[in-house]
Amino acid sequence: MGIGAAAALDAAEAVRKALNGFRGTLNGCVIQRCTYQSENDGAEVPQDAQMLPDYTVTQTYELRVEDDSA
């Protein structure tokens, strides 16, 4: 069963709100800043014509991380 466009866009907005501007440590990696860059949405048509399409949202982020390997 496919996911509707409105649900996909709502989920993408929640992800953007959670990640954009994030600063912190995840699994020992210090993220100095996470910045939202862009977003694209569309539909992936399934092979089976009887199924509804899955709507997709692709987001791009830029992460500035602390490199302690130097």
Side-chain angles (χ1 to χ4, degrees):
M1 175 181 264
I3 181 173
L9 291 170
D10 287 347
E13 181 179 356
V15 170
R16 182 184 48 77
K17 286 180 178 179
L19 292 180
N20 190 41
F22 175 81
R23 299 169 193 251
T25 303
L26 294 172
N27 295 329
C29 178
V30 178
I31 299 171
Q32 295 174 340
R33 184 153 183 93
C34 178
T35 307
Y36 170 84
Q37 297 293 308
S38 66
E39 180 175 287
N40 294 302
D41 58 49
E44 291 184 7
V45 180
Q47 298 293 329
D48 182 351
Q50 300 300 315
M51 296 177 63
L52 295 173
D54 287 323
Y55 290 91
T56 62
V57 180
T58 302
Q59 296 177 332
T60 304
Y61 292 84
E62 182 176 284
L63 292 133
R64 182 178 187 122
V65 298
E66 204 171 275
D67 183 7
D68 61 358
S69 64

